């Protein structure tokens, strides 16, 4: 059974939320899901509290397991459980302290996006009108992520920031949840140049299941496959993956868009309430690819093995270390 790897999914960013909904990714065979634990409005204390809660809550669900190493994914899958680790969608939760990269890595954060849509200390975002790229502090951040075993992620970053990340990183870079701008012209989608630069690092572009990034709010297998096939033709089968970016907190996110217009723009709202590809559709994506004539090896690469390769090149094995209460 192929490995299934979702590099980014979203629970409600609240202590006390039900993590059991992750069981919707359940299937025979090894499955990994990276859960977001904060973005630009969050402080270090906020994200540490979320991570401590998520980790504890996962242990209460027999179908889930927090993992520390890549090999844990297969071991957990052999017992019928879903492997879970974490990501951050902005560098603001670092509170400006690069040492916190290592603290987050010890809590299971394996991927970090330097900027969420707009400029911050690390660089520019995809919705900025001026793109000055990665800052000096942002380059130091990438170096620290390399040292900590954390994958640099260009999703939500500006084009120049993403390209600079690829140049600065000594290890693979990913776009964990971004579609192809040549297929659907949305500012959150990546250009061909970004995809090529990512591939040159040994990284992966993860096509996402968010309707407004796939097309005019169309989270369908057909829309996703259009982006997948374009990306494979552009950068090769070894550098393309899938991440649902499924929002288990859909109503919370829609409220967040309304409450924080400075973080979003009309490209997020013009097609009506955002729709997401559900986990059940993602789990069945292989059958849609097979019907399109994809080989089993190509399906396996895109659904999981490519992201696994990046993880093996980047992650550092570690045990749980208590941080910040």
């Amino acid at each position: 059974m192929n490995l299934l790897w979702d590099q980014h999914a979203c629970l409600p960013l609240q202590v006390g939320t039900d993590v059991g909904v992750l069981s919707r990714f359940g299937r025979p065979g090894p499955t990994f899901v990276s859960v977001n634990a904060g973005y630009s409005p969050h402080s270090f204390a906020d994200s540490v509290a979320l991570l401590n809660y998520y980790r504890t809550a996962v242990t209460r669900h027999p179908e889930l397991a927090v993992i520390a190493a890549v090999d844990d994914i297969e071991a957990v899958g052999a017992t019928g459980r879903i492997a879970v680790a974490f990501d951050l969608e902005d560098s603001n939760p670092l509170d400006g302290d690069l040492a916190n990269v290592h603290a987050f890595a010890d809590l299971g954060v394996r991927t970090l996006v330097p900027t969420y849509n707009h400029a911050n200390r690390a660089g520019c975002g995809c919705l900025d009108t001026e793109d000055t790229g990665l800052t000096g502090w942002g380059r130091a951040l990438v170096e620290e992520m390399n040292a900590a075993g954390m994958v640099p992620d260009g999703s939500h970053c500006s084009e120049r920031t993403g390209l600079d990340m690829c140049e600065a990183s000594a290890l693979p870079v990913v776009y964990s949840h971004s579609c192809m701008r040549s297929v659907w012209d949305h500012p959150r989608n990546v250009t061909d140049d970004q995809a090529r630069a990512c591939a040159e690092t040994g990284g992966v572009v993860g096509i996402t299941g968010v309707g407004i990034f796939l097309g005019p709010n169309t989270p369908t297998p057909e829309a996703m496959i259009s982006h997948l096939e374009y990306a494979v033709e552009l950068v090769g089968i070894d550098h393309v993956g899938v991440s649902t970016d499924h929002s288990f907190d859909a109503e919370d996110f829609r409220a967040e868009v309304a409450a924080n217009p400075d973080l979003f723009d009309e490209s997020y709202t013009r097609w009506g309430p955002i729709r997401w590809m559900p986990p059940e559709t993602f789990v069945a994506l292989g059958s849609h690819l097979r019907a399109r004539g994809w080989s089993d090896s190509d399906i396996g690469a895109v659904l999981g093995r490519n992201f696994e390769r990046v993880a093996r090149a980047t992650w550092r094995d570690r045990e749980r270390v208590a941080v910040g209460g």
Side-chain angles (χ1 to χ4, degrees):
M1 176 65 69
N2 281 330
L3 168 66
L4 189 71
W5 187 296
D6 190 338
Q7 187 54 56
H8 181 72
C10 301
L11 291 170
L13 293 168
Q14 301 162 6
V15 170
T17 195
D18 177 18
V19 305
V21 293
L22 296 173
S23 64
R24 289 174 59 189
F25 287 99
R27 58 189 277 278
T31 303
F32 170 82
V33 181
S34 180
V35 174
N36 177 245
Y39 77 123
S40 54
H42 292 86
S43 66
F44 179 71
D46 294 334
S47 288
V48 166
L50 281 168
L51 285 160
N52 282 324
Y53 170 74
Y54 287 161
R55 294 178 63 97
T56 299
V58 163
T59 66
R60 301 190 184 115
H61 290 269
E63 70 277 22
L64 306 174
V66 174
I67 55 101
V70 180
D71 286 339
D72 294 343
I73 297 170
E74 295 281 352
V76 163
T79 65
R81 294 177 292 167
I82 297 166
V84 178
F86 305 98
D87 61 75
L88 292 170
E89 281 193 289
D90 193 78
S91 56
N92 196 63
L94 296 173
D95 284 358
D97 186 350
L98 293 176
N100 286 336
V101 171
H102 298 266
F104 278 129
D106 288 338
L107 285 167
V109 174
R110 296 290 178 262
T111 314
L112 187 147
V113 176
T115 65
Y116 186 91
N117 288 0
H118 292 291
N120 61 15
R121 184 174 182 175
C124 294
C126 62
L127 300 185
D128 286 326
T129 55
E130 182 180 5
D131 186 2
T132 55
L134 202 64
T135 65
W137 189 85
R139 289 179 180 273
L141 170 59
V142 172
E143 182 177 351
E144 208 66 36
M145 282 193 279
N146 286 169
M150 193 179 292
V151 181
D153 184 352
S155 294
H156 291 280
C157 296
S158 69
E159 180 175 14
R160 183 73 257 162
T161 296
L163 292 171
D164 288 347
M165 284 174 55
C166 291
E167 185 273 328
S169 182
L171 294 170
V173 170
V174 301
Y175 285 87
S176 68
H177 55 295
S178 295
C179 294
M180 302 301 299
R181 196 175 300 183
S182 290
V183 177
W184 178 247
D185 189 9
H186 191 286
R188 259 282 283 117
N189 291 343
V190 300
T191 66
D192 289 2
D193 285 346
Q194 286 173 279
R196 290 189 191 99
C198 174
E200 286 171 4
T201 72
V204 176
V205 176
I207 303 303
T208 186
V210 181
I212 60 169
F213 307 148
L214 287 165
N217 222 354
T218 52
T220 65
E222 294 75 21
M224 177 173 277
I225 290 169
S226 293
H227 286 266
L228 287 171
E229 292 183 338
Y230 181 88
V232 167
E233 181 67 23
L234 180 72
V235 297
I237 193 66
D238 293 333
H239 302 290
V240 181
V242 180
S243 287
T244 62
D245 194 9
H246 182 73
S247 182
F248 291 101
D249 58 344
E251 293 307 315
D252 288 349
F253 182 78
R254 290 169 185 145
E256 194 84 355
V257 171
N260 296 284
D262 55 317
L263 294 179
F264 307 96
D265 67 7
E266 59 85 28
S267 69
Y268 276 75
T269 58
R270 65 188 299 185
W271 306 105
I274 299 173
R275 300 169 61 213
W276 287 267
M277 176 178 286
E280 294 81 3
T281 301
F282 173 52
V283 167
L285 183 61
S287 62
H288 294 278
L289 293 171
R290 196 167 289 108
R292 287 278 297 176
W294 283 49
S295 69
D296 286 345
S297 62
D298 285 356
I299 292 170
V302 166
L303 291 188
R305 296 300 175 189
N306 290 338
F307 274 127
E308 180 191 37
R309 183 192 70 247
V310 169
R312 289 192 181 281
T314 307
W315 293 10
R316 305 286 182 268
D317 294 353
R318 49 177 38 90
E319 297 298 325
R320 166 75 159 102
V321 177
V323 176

